[in-house]
Amino acid sequence: MTPESDQNLLLPVREGDLARVLRDVVGAPVRTIRATPLGASSRGTPWRVDLETTADPKTVLVRFGESCSRTEVIALEAMREHPLPAPVVLHWDPDGANLGTPLFVSTFIEGDPLLDAMKANEPWADALYIETACAVQSVTPGDLPPGVAAQLDGSDSALTVLEEAYAGFAKPNPLAEAAYRCLKETQPEFPPDHFSNGDLWPENLLVRGDRLAGIIDWQHAGFGDPIYEFLLPFFLVPELRGRGTEETYCRRMGFDPEMLRWYHGLEFFDSLRWVLKLGEPYRIHTAESLQRDLEAWLEGAASG
């Protein structure tokens, strides 16, 4: 084993111990190991682990501790026979029998985040996001192995988000009261729950060229509100708005595009709750900007 790199020193386990486990996972003795955290190193950080073995070089994705999700394992095992590309689980030790901490190992999918191409307004990127979201959300409980759907948590419904957001305002807020009443009075007929990996954020859709290479981050997979999840990128990334992508998605899924206005109000309302509670901005949104957005949304609702 070669000396540990600076990045390897950040590993929450000893490199040699991990190498011994991965030897059994990849089926060949490991000569060197290079571990790179994918994002800021924390207990929840996934790691890219490049291995030089006595056979061919291998690259795997590894998670440790609490970031090892039973839901993700169940979902990925269920998706193995599905044409949607997703990582393959290679090893799961939820009790930490080998390293003293839970361990998850899967194949590593090489690719670039689709979000980069969408922000650059590549002509194919928005279409691929719609196509992928529709394909994921078209998976039915019957498409999964028996009993799997009941084991997946999924996300909250839009109505649950609304009620929890309303309850989360720490003190009386006239704007929140008005928005809540309007959202309750104008709530649409919600679509039934649809399947999702739990985070259809375009950074979790990896592409090579203009083709989908894989869908990652299945830790919260399950069934939930399809429109609320699809709209998140457009709420957080202004460059994506105004292209008709949201409306195209709705028509493709058979949803009324007129419902989008209601969902936009819910996003402002829920985000304002969190920004006021935490006292800090949420991505591009501040308490002041969200209040302006929610006021404008209410004016639009009043004018019909």
Side-chain angles (χ1 to χ4, degrees):
M1 189 74 61
T2 59
E4 293 179 336
S5 70
D6 289 342
Q7 288 174 314
N8 287 1
L9 289 171
L10 299 173
L11 278 167
V13 299
R14 292 180 58 181
E15 180 186 347
D17 293 339
L18 178 60
R20 282 192 291 275
V21 174
L22 294 180
R23 173 195 62 196
D24 296 333
V25 172
V26 302
V30 174
R31 289 174 174 165
T32 62
I33 177 172
R34 179 174 177 79
T36 307
L38 301 175
S41 180
S42 70
R43 291 185 179 182
T45 296
W47 293 74
R48 170 183 176 143
V49 179
D50 295 293
L51 306 170
E52 181 186 342
T53 74
T54 54
D56 296 327
K58 308 283 186 183
T59 299
V60 295
L61 182 134
V62 177
R63 288 200 183 98
F64 303 95
E66 295 178 359
S67 65
C68 297
S69 163
R70 176 178 178 271
T71 296
E72 182 165 24
V73 173
I74 293 171
L76 289 178
E77 290 289 355
M79 296 302 293
R80 288 189 72 155
E81 305 302 321
H82 197 279
L84 285 168
V88 174
V89 178
L90 302 175
H91 178 80
W92 187 47
D93 175 14
D95 299 319
N98 292 313
L99 295 176
T101 185
L103 176 67
F104 168 90
V105 184
S106 74
T107 54
F108 184 86
I109 298 178
E110 297 276 3
D112 299 313
L114 178 61
L115 181 60
D116 294 345
M118 292 179 69
K119 290 169 69 174
N121 203 11
E122 295 285 349
W124 54 270
D126 284 16
L128 182 58
Y129 181 54
I130 293 172
E131 178 183 337
T132 303
C134 292
V136 172
Q137 294 177 349
S138 295
V139 174
T140 70
D143 294 328
L144 304 175
V148 165
Q151 300 180 63
L152 301 177
D153 296 332
S155 58
D156 292 331
S157 68
L159 191 56
T160 299
V161 171
L162 173 60
E163 296 300 338
E164 289 183 350
Y166 180 62
F169 283 92
K171 57 185 179 180
N173 184 308
L175 178 59
E177 290 287 343
Y180 175 73
R181 287 196 303 270
C182 184
L183 286 164
K184 290 288 287 184
E185 292 168 0
T186 62
Q187 68 184 48
E189 182 176 349
F190 300 113
D193 288 349
H194 284 59
F195 184 65
S196 171
N197 75 321
D199 192 2
L200 268 179
W201 177 248
E203 283 186 321
N204 292 331
L205 308 183
L206 302 180
V207 295
R208 289 193 289 270
D210 59 357
R211 300 296 181 92
L212 181 69
I215 305 169
I216 61 173
D217 284 356
W218 294 72
Q219 294 167 282
H220 304 288
F223 292 81
D225 188 295
I227 300 176
Y228 190 71
E229 182 166 36
F230 181 87
L231 293 181
L232 181 62
F234 305 91
F235 179 61
L236 297 179
V237 185
E239 303 97 298
L240 306 184
R241 302 173 193 162
R243 304 178 190 171
T245 308
E246 300 158 89
E247 291 80 3
T248 300
Y249 159 79
C250 284
R251 287 189 287 269
R252 175 87 173 267
M253 292 291 290
F255 306 144
D256 184 356
E258 291 298 317
M259 289 195 295
L260 292 172
R261 195 194 68 80
W262 188 92
Y263 278 91
H264 292 158
L266 177 60
E267 288 171 331
F268 296 139
F269 184 73
D270 186 38
S271 298
L272 179 61
R273 175 265 298 244
W274 282 113
V275 167
L276 291 177
K277 182 176 182 177
L278 299 177
E280 59 186 37
Y282 175 43
R283 297 288 183 103
I284 62 170
H285 301 283
T286 65
E288 293 75 20
S289 71
L290 286 167
Q291 288 169 357
R292 289 194 299 269
D293 289 335
L294 201 51
E295 289 169 353
W297 180 85
L298 280 168
E299 291 177 4
S303 63

